[in-house]
Amino acid sequence: MLKIVEKTKIMFAISLFIIVIGMGFLATRGLNLGIDFTGGAVLNVSMNQEFKKADVDKIIDKYAKNQYLSKTVDDGKDYEVTIKSDALTADEIATMVKEIKTQFKSSELASQDTTGASVGSELKSKAVLALIIAVICMLVYIGFRFEFKFATAAIIALLHDVLITLGVYAVFQIPVNATFIAAILTIIGYSINDTIVIFDRIRENQKKMRKASIDQITNESITETMPRSINTVATTLFTIVAVYVFVPSIRDLSLPLIIGILVGCYSSIFIASPVWVILKKRNKKATT
């Protein structure tokens, strides 16, 4: 039987250390919000010839110096540029694209997506609302299905997952777009599912192991569900990592899923269950 509860202080310290670093970067540097939130334009140019990214960047510097992000995609065959919402007008963008086509004869504008700043602001508020509603619904369900202490522990674990994921994005300044919100909601659902499996086993073992301590019941329950948790996470990660490697166009979704699923597996074992033990022991002390 694994001694998970006995390592609570160590695991909490590790998580707290990671969260503090992430929140420090979040407070000082903030998130690298994409145009879905800030507004702007994304241009995809099919180059159809060999080119140097620096040569294309020189053209864009004439129009939007320090107001854009650029990268090569599709193994360096295409060029993508993200321009801040207040940097260029539609006519200026058209002029810039025309100059790129003039210098690179085989190039053509593959796509252009524009988002207004007001739309981005509305998206941010709706994203926060979606997260709040999801957490409240889970709190109510788990509280009704199990008990309120289980629900509290689960929500703390979910908060842990979200904070660490946000911290990683803040530290490495990974762009955050609308797909990130979808990924966070998916992470929450996946993590809570893993946590509920352990909580359900704890509830069953409470009936079977009436003479055992809370620590023993929790350790036994985690030990029994550990293979299931690891196997589920491993098979899921194999798929998502494959998608991340071979389908670059949806890395905005697959990357946060990889981070969140790993963190969610960790929190369901080392955070949620020990938090429940702490709450259970406090409740016993209060009633004695």
Side-chain angles (χ1 to χ4, degrees):
M1 181 173 65
L2 298 173
K3 302 291 184 180
I4 301 297
V5 176
E6 287 77 3
K7 296 180 176 63
T8 295
K9 290 183 179 180
I10 297 174
M11 297 305 173
F12 281 13
I14 293 172
S15 292
L16 185 61
F17 177 73
I18 295 172
I19 289 172
V20 167
I21 291 177
M23 293 306 99
F25 275 87
L26 188 63
T28 55
R29 298 175 63 184
L31 291 172
N32 181 14
L33 297 177
I35 66 164
D36 289 344
F37 296 105
T38 61
V42 176
L43 310 177
N44 285 285
V45 180
S46 295
M47 301 305 290
N48 299 315
Q49 65 182 78
E50 291 185 4
F51 72 100
K52 293 181 179 179
K53 176 178 174 295
D55 293 336
V56 189
D57 285 342
K58 285 181 182 178
I59 297 174
I60 301 174
D61 278 340
K62 299 177 185 178
Y63 299 89
K65 190 175 180 63
N66 300 323
Q67 299 292 309
Y68 72 95
L69 297 171
S70 67
K71 62 182 179 180
T72 57
V73 294
D74 192 19
D75 295 328
K77 297 177 183 177
D78 297 336
Y79 179 89
E80 179 181 288
V81 57
T82 302
I83 305 170
K84 293 182 180 179
S85 61
D86 57 352
L88 296 176
T89 64
D91 290 339
E92 288 172 330
I93 290 175
T95 303
M96 181 185 70
V97 172
K98 184 178 180 181
E99 186 170 339
I100 293 173
K101 289 181 179 179
T102 300
Q103 182 167 334
F104 301 92
K105 303 297 183 181
S106 300
S107 66
E108 58 181 358
L109 182 63
S111 64
Q112 177 177 340
D113 296 318
T114 303
T115 303
S118 59
V119 175
S121 178
E122 182 182 357
L123 182 60
K124 277 190 281 187
S125 61
K126 287 185 176 180
V128 172
L129 180 62
L131 289 172
I132 292 173
I133 291 174
V135 169
I136 291 174
C137 290
M138 290 178 185
L139 182 64
V140 171
Y141 171 76
I142 298 173
F144 176 78
R145 183 74 173 78
F146 295 91
E147 60 181 43
F148 187 72
K149 286 185 284 295
F150 277 124
T152 303
I155 296 306
I156 290 174
L158 291 180
L159 182 61
H160 165 278
D161 299 344
V162 172
L163 289 178
I164 288 184
T165 305
L166 287 174
V168 171
Y169 269 68
V171 170
F172 296 101
Q173 287 295 289
I174 304 170
V176 175
N177 290 307
T179 49
F180 179 78
I181 303 303
I184 289 292
L185 291 172
T186 304
I187 290 166
I188 288 174
Y190 191 94
S191 179
I192 201 70
N193 176 68
D194 211 16
T195 302
I196 286 176
V197 170
I198 297 175
F199 284 172
D200 193 51
R201 186 58 58 89
I202 289 174
R203 187 177 58 175
E204 291 177 0
N205 286 338
Q206 279 182 300
K207 299 175 183 178
K208 298 177 182 177
M209 305 167 62
R210 295 184 182 277
K211 295 182 179 180
S213 66
I214 294 174
D215 290 3
Q216 290 175 324
I217 293 172
T218 304
N219 285 332
E220 181 64 28
S221 300
I222 293 174
T223 301
E224 291 174 356
T225 55
M226 182 79 78
R228 182 263 183 199
S229 297
I230 293 175
N231 290 335
T232 302
V233 168
T235 52
T236 304
L237 281 177
F238 288 152
T239 303
I240 299 176
V241 170
V243 170
Y244 178 82
V245 173
F246 297 109
V247 191
S249 60
I250 59 171
R251 283 178 179 170
D252 287 348
L253 176 64
S254 56
L255 178 58
L257 285 179
I258 292 170
I259 298 169
I261 287 174
L262 285 171
V263 176
C265 179
Y266 169 86
S267 68
S268 63
I269 297 170
F270 298 106
I271 303 298
S273 301
V275 167
W276 174 80
V277 171
I278 292 171
L279 295 174
K280 195 74 173 176
K281 287 180 177 179
R282 284 185 179 179
N283 184 64
K284 280 192 172 183
K285 286 182 181 179
T287 56
T288 55

